[in-house]
Amino acid sequence: MGQKMTDSVTLTIDGKTYTFPVIIGTEGEKAIDITRLRQETGFITFDPGFGNTGSCSSSITFMNGEKGVLRYRGIPIEQLAEKSTFVETAYLLINGHLPSLEELNRNRVMLNDSSLVHEDMHIFFQNFPKASHPMGILSSMVNALRSFYPELKDEDNITKDFLNLISKVRTMAAMSYRFSKGEKIVYPRHDLTYCENFLNMMFDSPVRPYVLDEDIVRALNVFLILHGDHEQNCSTAAVRVVGSGRVNLYAAISAGIAALWGPLHGGANQAVIEMLTDIHKNGVSIDEVIKKAKDKNDPFRLMGFGHRVYKTYDPRAKIMKKMCDKVLSKISGPDPLLDIAKQLEEVALTDPYFVDHNLYPNVDFYSGIVLRAIGIPTNMFTVMFAIGRLPGWISQWKESMEDPNWKISRPRQIYTGLSEHDYVELKDR
Ligand code: ACO
């Protein structure tokens, strides 16, 4: 695992000293191993939000929040965004190495072969109320997949399960969009790549055939690559925690989708566009928005700003920002929302509140503008994030299943309720 014990730390409680080992990761990250803390001292640690807690060791993704570094399996995100495809990056995340040409081609065939969704599932899509959020539909449908495609057990077949999920989630996302518009679904095609197929399933129509544009296909690939994995974030932690009860893969991923839905997490890309639209429509000034975001008595936050780990510019946001200009020039021309976003960023980056709080744009600040330009409806933005994050969730789930130190997730608590007192009969209350 690339770990070695190099040191130990001591803790003194009521005059008694305890020694705990230190774990150092391959990039020099340090942790105090407190697995024996409660047993030896009777104390637990208290860390709401887990900002100081390592829940596992992992060889998938490295990020350095202070320096703005993100690498999948050691490869910088900038290189993957420039040179890789989503399908290749998914392989890298899940298998730990870049595929050979033969492995990549085999993957492509398997993805295409698993792209159809059981016809009996169509009825579910048709019967969700029209106003259902696509994330709720996706989470339910992924859970339902287990009933239609029971898990396969041996090594080769598990890879099929993974590809089945990656392929079908894309098909189901496009299907739910078509159903929501009351339009006929478009079936996946064997002659198209993963991203081309998605765009075609979303937008092709008998009256206006969808014409694939290689820059847009590239933009979608980059969007999905940037969302591929992000170590132990809220939804990935959910996948691992739920998976730790040894639930099936589909149920664990469904939990990840539910966690991602929240506006403080994956739902932020939708929230950013809603915020920018609101500012645009109501003619709110940039200064007013910044003032509101800084007001402690106002729950409003500048959506797309801030991150638990990044205390500098999110490297994914840099790539996404560049892509905005390119995609907009290609498709729809200037977007007033992009102008507002750039102005907000300029003001926030020099405002003492944002500087002191280390608040910089995160990936979601510009991603919605790219998705909007591609034609993706706002309420599907978080679904796009989920399609991108799927290989990350799968690789993290797989790693946790193979972890020799695996334990069911079961945090402790500090109880602050009433102390013991007697039950009072109903007649005496
Ligand atoms: N606007 C204004 N103030 C903010 C913002 C923001 N976007 N984000 C954090 N702050 C302030 C908080 O008010 C707090 O101030 P205080 O210490 O003076 O009370 C301080 O910065 C720290 O904030 P926390 O919420 O404690 O930071 P945490 O690490 O728990 O939260 C989070 C990170 C949830 C991302 C937060 O920055 C946020 O709500 N951002 C907006 C939503 C968003 O863009 N989410 C997407 C994250 S990226 C992703 O999931 C893909």
Side-chain angles (χ1 to χ4, degrees):
M1 271 194 284
Q3 297 176 353
K4 53 187 182 333
M5 304 288 181
T6 57
D7 208 349
S8 59
V9 295
T10 56
L11 175 67
T12 306
I13 305 173
D14 293 336
K16 191 165 177 214
T17 299
Y18 304 88
T19 303
F20 298 99
V22 163
I23 301 172
I24 310 222
T26 48
E27 295 291 337
E29 288 179 305
K30 303 183 282 290
I32 303 165
D33 178 353
I34 54 152
T35 41
R36 295 183 60 78
L37 180 71
R38 187 169 178 278
Q39 210 172 334
E40 290 186 14
T41 68
F43 281 73
I44 60 167
T45 55
F46 187 64
D47 187 21
F50 313 124
N52 306 285
T53 300
S55 60
C56 60
S57 51
S58 176
S59 59
I60 302 167
T61 291
F62 172 70
M63 50 188 296
N64 179 323
E66 280 70 36
K67 295 187 179 152
V69 172
L70 175 62
R71 298 180 204 137
Y72 298 160
R73 302 285 188 183
I75 303 179
I77 191 67
E78 293 79 6
Q79 291 181 20
L80 291 168
E82 193 191 330
K83 297 177 183 158
S84 186
T85 61
F86 175 61
V87 168
E88 186 186 54
T89 298
Y91 186 101
L92 169 74
L93 284 166
I94 295 170
N95 297 287
H97 59 89
L98 287 169
S100 65
L101 186 60
E102 197 236 312
E103 286 166 330
L104 193 58
N105 285 337
R106 203 157 70 98
N107 242 38
R108 285 193 178 126
V109 171
M110 278 160 87
L111 277 169
N112 263 333
D113 286 350
S114 2
S115 60
L116 290 168
V117 171
H118 202 295
E119 291 285 329
D120 288 353
M121 290 186 88
H122 291 198
I123 192 136
F124 298 152
F125 285 99
Q126 280 157 345
N127 287 311
F128 273 103
K130 279 279 170 284
S132 303
H133 195 284
M135 283 298 273
I137 299 179
L138 189 65
S139 176
S140 316
M141 296 309 281
V142 166
N143 218 341
L145 276 177
R146 172 68 164 75
S147 311
F148 290 86
Y149 305 94
E151 274 172 302
L152 306 162
K153 293 288 175 212
D154 65 75
E155 184 72 10
D156 239 25
N157 285 331
I158 283 176
T159 305
K160 276 192 197 147
D161 273 345
F162 297 158
L163 295 172
N164 195 29
L165 202 43
I166 291 174
S167 195
K168 284 188 174 38
V169 159
R170 172 207 52 181
T171 306
M172 292 195 308
M175 276 171 75
S176 61
Y177 172 68
R178 303 295 296 217
F179 279 125
S180 75
K181 294 195 44 160
E183 289 176 1
K184 272 196 159 180
I185 58 165
V186 176
Y187 282 85
R189 278 174 33 191
H190 262 247
D191 58 324
L192 298 181
T193 63
Y194 185 90
C195 287
E196 288 171 347
N197 244 324
F198 176 73
L199 292 167
N200 194 59
M201 283 189 270
M202 286 284 289
F203 303 123
D204 191 43
S205 127
V207 286
R208 193 190 297 184
Y210 185 69
V211 181
L212 286 161
D213 177 305
E214 71 180 78
D215 286 336
I216 300 309
V217 174
R218 183 69 212 148
L220 182 58
N221 266 293
V222 175
F223 172 90
L224 297 175
I225 290 169
L226 294 182
H227 288 82
D229 193 48
H230 217 220
E231 52 123 293
Q232 306 312 315
N233 57 85
C234 173
S235 54
T236 302
V239 169
R240 280 196 182 247
V241 168
V242 171
S244 80
R246 286 291 189 250
V247 73
N248 68 77
L249 170 69
Y250 298 102
I253 300 295
S254 165
I257 295 170
L260 188 73
W261 190 355
L264 296 189
H265 189 18
N269 54 15
Q270 176 174 344
V272 170
I273 288 295
E274 285 164 356
M275 176 186 79
L276 295 174
T277 308
D278 203 41
I279 296 170
H280 181 56
K281 263 197 189 152
N282 299 317
V284 189
S285 74
I286 300 297
D287 287 347
E288 271 175 86
V289 180
I290 298 285
K291 198 170 152 207
K292 208 165 144 57
K294 295 193 295 187
D295 183 355
K296 287 287 153 221
N297 298 316
D298 191 325
F300 173 77
R301 284 185 166 196
L302 194 55
M303 299 314 286
F305 258 73
H307 197 272
R308 171 60 64 76
V309 180
Y310 291 124
K311 299 304 165 201
T312 183
Y313 214 104
D314 179 340
R316 303 165 301 169
K318 273 189 201 161
I319 300 168
M320 202 69 88
K321 186 180 175 184
K322 274 196 207 143
M323 232 167 58
C324 281
D325 289 312
K326 192 164 180 197
V327 171
L328 288 174
S329 67
K330 182 86 200 186
I331 302 191
S332 47
D335 182 344
L337 300 197
L338 178 61
D339 294 338
I340 295 172
K342 283 183 173 171
Q343 286 170 44
L344 272 175
E345 180 190 332
E346 204 181 314
V347 176
L349 289 182
T350 51
D351 185 286
Y353 172 91
F354 286 86
V355 173
D356 293 349
H357 285 76
N358 292 318
L359 297 171
Y360 294 86
N362 59 51
V363 66
D364 292 319
F365 195 60
Y366 287 108
S367 64
I369 293 168
V370 171
L371 292 177
R372 221 164 79 105
I374 294 177
I376 310 288
T378 315
N379 71 351
M380 269 195 71
F381 286 2
T382 316
V383 167
M384 300 306 295
F385 190 153
I387 298 174
R389 184 54 55 87
L390 193 50
W393 288 332
I394 290 172
S395 46
Q396 301 269 352
W397 178 86
K398 177 172 178 267
E399 189 178 66
S400 73
M401 292 297 122
E402 292 164 355
D403 186 350
N405 298 317
W406 164 82
K407 270 186 167 31
I408 187 164
S409 294
R410 203 313 185 179
R412 310 281 308 200
Q413 63 165 22
I414 298 294
Y415 176 68
T416 57
L418 297 173
S419 51
E420 184 179 348
H421 60 287
D422 288 331
Y423 176 80
V424 180
E425 295 289 341
L426 188 58
K427 65 181 172 46
D428 299 327
R429 276 180 243 159

